[in-house]
Amino acid sequence: ELMTGYTMLRNGGVGNGGQPWVLRWSSRIRLTWLSFTLFIILVFFPLIAHYYLTTIDDADDAGKRIFGPRTGNELCEVKHVQDLCRIRESVSEELLQLEAKRQELNSEIAKLNLKIEACKKSIENAKQDLLQLKNVISQTEHSYKELMAQNQPKLSLPIRLLPDKDDATFPLPKSNRNCRLHNCFDYSRCPLTSGFPVYVYNSDDYPFGSSLDPLIKQAFEATVRTNVYVTENANIACVYIILVGEMQEPVMPKPTELEQQLHSLPYWRTDGHNHLIINLSRKSETQNFIYNISTGRAMIAQSTFYDVQYRPGFDIVVSPLVHAMSEPNFLEIPPQVPVKRKYLFSFQGEKIESLRSSLQEVRSFEEEIEGNAPADYDDRIITTLKAVQDSKLDFVLVEFTCKNQPKASLPTEWALCGERDDRLELLKLSTFALIITPGDTHLVISAGCAMRLFEALEVGAIPVVLGEQVQLPYNDVIRWNEAALIIPKPRITEVHFLLRSISDNDLLAMRRQGRFLWETYFSTSDNVFSTVLAIIRTRIQIPAAPIREETAVEIPHRSGKAAGTDPNMADNGDLDLGPVETEPPYASPKYLRNFTLTAMDMYRNWNSAPGPFHLFPYTPFDPVLPSEAKFLGSGTGFRPIGGGAGGSGKEFQAALGGNVPREQFTVVMLTYEREEVLMNSLERLNGLPYLNKVVVVWNSPKLPSEDLLWPDIGVPIMVVRTEKNSLNNRFLPWDEIETEAILSIDDDAHLRHDEIMFGFRVWREARDRIVGFPGRYHAWDIPHQSWLYNSNYSCELSMVLTGAAFFHKYYAYLYSYVMPQAIRDMVDEYINCEDIAMNFLVSHLTRKPPIKVTSRWTFRCPGCPQALSHDDSHFHERHKCINFFVKVYGYMPLLYTQFRVDSVLFKTRLPHDKTKCFKFI
């Protein structure tokens, strides 16, 4: 039964039908019991554990301890608990220390706050003092200006008064021969501020114009169109010019007709005052047809004059116009060396009519011995020269009879023999060229003599003029004794001895000066016309027109990038090179209209341009005579700045040196599509003392990148656009260059500030020379008989590369406008040699070598892109350039030197009170 009941319960109920219910009930009882058991475990066990754990530390005796009897330090003897105890003690100590430091800092902050308040008060007091000082300075400047105004009244240019169209006539001198500027020239038409305007008549408007030589007329008209003084407004003209010769024989007008035509000129004004009649000669047989014409008060410029016709200081003896419409070929001109040539002297000529036959006088040498001077020395000259030729002491060539028909000439004049090319070939072989003046002493100059002089100077034969009465071209302004020998005819017997006694150095100097005179005043129609105007302008004391400057077309660019500081650039250590200028950009004084004559004779001190150099019509220095005044210092009248009280002089750090109190320089940097290199170079100029401006010559047709940000270096940066890619652009006289000193530097040049400043100091002591860093020299190649360019390290040098060099802006004018165009053309052809050309020019003018400073031989920056100088053909082209330039100049103008300038401060650190000067080694 039990089994049956159990079975029934397991099956869910009583009997078979109750088994499911029993099973469900048993499952519920088990789940309830299990849940209750879990509840008791999870609730009561934690409570019991918590109670016992919290009473461990509170037990006072052994009976209350859960785990049995224990001592008081047993718990701390546990290792990890000990560590915790130590950490707690350490933290407590650190907290105490930090609290002490906090209190100390609070006290310091309180003290600093007091100091800040005191400084604020001091600043306020300093501001008040500064304001007072500014007021005092302002009052002092005002007082100074008042004193200056009292002692130096303000001068202003006079108002230009235009003369009346019909000038008031004034009486003629007793004779036309007595005409001089003071009695035959109207100064009222030529104020100092007029600019010397010149009006040129058009010869074609008058009948005699059809008789002019076409070549001369064409050359004259071409020259007039380009001259800066020529004006088309005749009412304001100072001088009126009319060309009347050379005339062609078949259609030459009669003297009376020409005189009437001259007197009918619209601005002749009855007497022709302020007129210049020009009679140019292209041939040796040009006749003096103006001799029988009344020219009134008009000046005459021609190549033939009689003494009764020539008025010294009023008329002008001009040179023949041989190269009328063609430029001289410098490659055909013989070199100036060797000094001695095949013939000691030469002469070819034939006398068509002797003085005896023309004057109907016969005088003997016996009469001369008795004290009466002979009428003609030509017989004695012929006899003496033939005797020298027959003696064979020297090779000479004298011929007194022409092999062919001689050229037409004036009576008593020695006619030219043969054609021009034949005469030049003989002169190329002659050291001296004899020029025998006409036997008629009344003929002071003839076209034939002027032609002989022209040809001798052209090929480098030193002229020997027999006859001291001669009036050579432009004789009142050119010192002919430096280029020619003028010997009286009675000394004919001493001529041979005199010529043999001249040293080679003197011969070369005379030949070089003669070449200079020929190139400057004789060679072209432009030179002849400009020289004539320069003589008149100088006589009436009107300053020359300022030379034109190259207009700089600026390329817009963005600036504002903060320039970094290169430690290699700005850090000069303890080297002190003088006072550091903090003034804003300061331009050099300009002499555009300098009417003072305080340095009238200064040009005599410059050996490169004796005498006539100031007459060059386009000199950049505008004083009438001292064209070099600005060049040699631009500070005429400035007080000396090197002296000090007691005569001890200025210390090295107290003055920049030189005799110009204030001066800055301009950096001219040539670049071509190397933006990164350029930006780095410009940044290195940041903080450079005495820097006025940076002119970047952008030599590429491609403009800089629009997003390129240019550095701010504290001075203006002018980016100039050029018309073409040319290295000659480096030396253009840009109008943005406002200082005399120019630092020409490549865009990859790497120079320290102290080196640049030292170079500037040295240049101020030698303003007429190139002062730079890398030196080079030229050498003679014996096997090939030519010149070589050498860049090897050497103690000797003759050039300084203009990739890092100082020079005067004056040379930029000469390089761009005066130096032969053939040199600039070769620079453009090779894209090379512009630095060699500048060294040639300066050495040619000054006869001095450049100055090298410091021991530098290179200046390229490390890591910069490769430059043109690394090309394999670079040196080969420079060899060619040197030899070509020698042909153009006619000699080698470069001079060797072993002189180098170093400051002792570069090698020895001296205290401030001991640094008195720097020395040259």
Side-chain angles (χ1 to χ4, degrees), residues 78-94:
V78 182
K79 183 176 182 179
H80 66 279
V81 176
Q82 292 177 349
D83 294 339
L84 291 175
C85 292
R86 285 194 297 268
I87 291 173
R88 185 178 62 180
E89 293 176 358
S90 175
V91 171
S92 299
E93 291 179 359
E94 289 181 359

Side-chain angles (χ1 to χ4, degrees), residues 901-913:
V901 182
D902 284 333
S903 174
V904 68
L905 299 182
F906 273 104
K907 301 176 181 179
T908 306
R909 298 296 184 258
L910 300 177
H912 179 81
D913 57 343

Side-chain angles (χ1 to χ4, degrees), residues 674-685:
R674 298 200 294 183
E675 294 181 354
E676 183 179 357
V677 174
L678 175 63
M679 295 302 106
N680 293 334
S681 296
L682 292 176
E683 289 186 6
R684 286 194 292 269
L685 299 177

Side-chain angles (χ1 to χ4, degrees), residues 753-859:
H753 286 188
D754 59 289
E755 294 174 319
I756 295 176
M757 284 189 63
F758 183 68
F760 184 46
R761 294 188 70 120
V762 175
W763 178 85
R764 284 167 55 86
E765 305 289 342
R767 307 173 71 88
D768 59 337
R769 300 163 81 171
I770 299 177
V771 177
F773 299 88
R776 301 292 185 265
Y777 67 97
H778 66 289
W780 179 250
D781 184 9
I782 298 178
H784 298 89
Q785 293 294 295
S786 62
W787 294 101
L788 296 177
Y789 171 84
N790 202 313
S791 62
N792 295 332
Y793 292 177
S794 171
C795 294
E796 197 168 52
L797 61 99
S798 60
M799 293 175 283
V800 166
L801 300 186
T802 55
F806 286 93
F807 63 90
H808 200 286
K809 188 180 179 181
Y810 176 66
Y811 293 126
Y813 295 104
L814 297 183
Y815 184 98
S816 302
Y817 305 140
V818 179
M819 188 179 69
Q821 181 63 37
I823 296 179
R824 294 190 292 272
D825 292 341
M826 190 167 194
V827 171
D828 288 336
E829 178 183 354
Y830 285 153
I831 316 180
N832 199 343
C833 307
E834 85 286 357
D835 48 356
I836 300 177
M838 177 59 82
N839 278 272
F840 266 69
L841 174 66
V842 176
S843 295
H844 171 66
L845 291 175
T846 62
R847 303 307 303 135
K848 298 177 183 178
I851 297 179
K852 172 178 169 52
V853 293
T854 76
S855 58
R856 267 186 178 264
W857 283 93
T858 60
F859 54 88

Side-chain angles (χ1 to χ4, degrees), residues 45 114 169 242 245 255 331 337 349 359 392 416 445 463 543 545 558 580 594 727 746 763 832 855 890 900 910 921:
F45 279 11
L114 295 176
T169 59
I242 182 67
L331 299 181
V337 290
L359 299 181
K392 297 183 179 180
L416 295 172
I445 186 62
R558 294 187 303 141
V580 177
N594 187 357
L727 293 180
D746 288 341
W763 178 85
N832 199 343
S855 58
R900 192 185 83 202
L910 300 177
I921 62 172

Side-chain angles (χ1 to χ4, degrees), residues 356-474:
R356 294 176 179 176
S357 61
S358 62
L359 299 181
Q360 300 298 320
E361 291 186 9
V362 178
R363 306 188 70 177
S364 63
F365 287 111
E366 288 77 7
E367 294 175 330
E368 177 191 353
I369 295 175
E370 293 176 359
N372 298 321
D376 192 359
Y377 281 97
D378 289 354
D379 291 342
R380 174 178 289 188
I381 291 174
I382 294 172
T383 303
T384 303
L385 295 181
K386 284 185 176 180
V388 174
Q389 185 177 26
D390 295 339
S391 66
K392 297 183 179 180
L393 295 175
D394 291 291
F395 285 105
V396 298
L397 191 151
V398 290
E399 295 178 353
F400 300 104
T401 303
C402 296
K403 298 178 181 179
N404 300 319
Q405 181 68 26
K407 304 294 182 181
S409 62
L410 297 176
T412 74
E413 181 185 15
W414 288 92
L416 295 172
C417 296
E419 299 299 329
R420 167 178 159 81
D421 292 340
D422 298 332
R423 298 194 300 270
L424 292 180
E425 290 300 323
L426 175 60
L427 291 174
K428 291 178 182 179
L429 302 175
S430 305
T431 305
F432 296 94
L434 295 184
I435 302 175
I436 305 176
T437 59
D440 186 358
T441 56
H442 298 290
L443 186 61
V444 295
I445 186 62
S446 66
C449 287
M451 184 65 69
R452 290 181 182 273
L453 178 66
F454 181 95
E455 293 176 352
L457 295 176
E458 181 178 5
V459 297
I462 301 174
V464 179
V465 182
L466 296 177
E468 79 283 2
Q469 81 284 355
V470 69
Q471 299 291 333
L472 297 180
Y474 322 123

Side-chain angles (χ1 to χ4, degrees), residues 103-119:
Q103 295 177 359
E104 183 180 356
L105 290 175
N106 287 335
S107 62
E108 290 181 0
I109 290 173
K111 294 179 181 179
L112 291 176
N113 288 331
L114 295 176
K115 290 183 178 180
I116 290 174
E117 294 297 329
C119 290

